[in-house]
């Protein structure tokens, strides 16, 4: 019996969304955003990067203070890009400095909806 | 001493992103998606709804199996829309039927990035 640790997906050449749900104390959010801004610049120069948006909770008591939603051409491009030592070094520096727990996962769009009438 | 339960925000008339991070067993995901699809149709007819995208994890072991990212014109529009009894009834039905824990929060964009060179 073998157990695959690869994400289950129909095809690895499909566009993929990386969502990272971040648990972090409210007073450390600004420092995380600074580091993220540095790291995303590195990634934005890699083949297959499409876009990334870091969302910050409006309320200090929201459980997940930050949520990153990033689009990539495919899983392989994302995997290759994050091997850059400048990226992984900055990620490690952030984890050491801050009381942060990250929950990255790969996602596909299950369903979506635009405003009624906006197609007409 | 009073404690505000309102989300902290500079202005309530700014666009807002609702992100709902969903904890649910992998084998209940499809049922949740069905119910979400019904509910989002109700919301899409409300003033101020812009768009909503339900993301589903590729891997069954991902901690957060579903993440909804929805855009609204402003907080008031969102607040008014979710008072519809058809919406809240469907939400209650889902929570009763499924072993689901939802974590909705209001967010603004802290930082974003598009692919290098895509602006040229």
């Amino acid at each position: 019996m073998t157990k695959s640790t690869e994400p289950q997906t129909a095809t690895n050449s499909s566009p993929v969304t990386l969502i990272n749900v971040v648990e972090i104390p409210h007073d450390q959010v600004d420092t995380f955003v600074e580091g993220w801004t540095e790291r995303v610049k590195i990634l934005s120069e890699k083949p297959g990067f499409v876009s990334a948006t870091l969302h910050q909770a409006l309320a200090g008591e929201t459980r997940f203070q930050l949520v990153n939603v990033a689009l990539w051409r495919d899983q392989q491009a994302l995997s290759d890009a994050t091997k850059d030592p400048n990226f992984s070094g900055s990620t490690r520096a952030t984890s050491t400095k801050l009381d942060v727990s990250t929950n990255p996962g790969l996602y596909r769009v299950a369903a979506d909806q635009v405003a009624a009438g906006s197609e007409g």
Side-chain angles (χ1 to χ4, degrees), chain A:
Chain A
M1 292 282 285
T2 59
K3 185 173 176 299
S4 171
T5 56
E6 290 295 306
Q8 296 149 14
T9 171
T11 160
N12 284 334
S13 63
S14 307
V16 69
T17 302
L18 170 89
I19 300 182
N20 192 359
V21 177
V22 181
E23 296 170 286
I24 188 169
H26 181 63
D27 61 2
Q28 297 184 2
V29 163
D30 289 350
T31 308
F32 186 97
V33 172
E34 280 172 31
W36 186 90
T37 305
E38 277 175 28
R39 286 192 295 280
V40 79
K41 275 184 196 146
I42 298 169
L43 295 182
S44 72
E45 294 177 354
K46 305 293 183 191
F49 175 91
V50 180
S51 66
T53 305
L54 184 60
H55 300 88
Q56 175 176 356
L58 298 183
E61 60 271 28
T62 299
R63 180 176 173 194
F64 304 116
Q65 285 287 298
L66 294 163
V67 181
N68 173 30
V69 179
L71 305 181
W72 286 83
R73 188 186 57 210
D74 54 49
Q75 286 187 38
Q76 191 60 52
L78 168 60
S79 173
D80 291 346
T82 52
K83 282 172 187 146
D84 184 322
N86 290 327
F87 171 80
S88 47
S90 170
T91 304
R92 269 195 307 275
T94 293
S95 339
T96 308
K97 203 164 47 175
L98 301 175
D99 183 23
V100 63
S101 168
T102 57
N103 299 277
L106 297 182
Y107 294 79
R108 66 177 182 84
V109 173
D112 59 2
Q113 179 77 45
V114 294
S118 70
E119 294 160 272

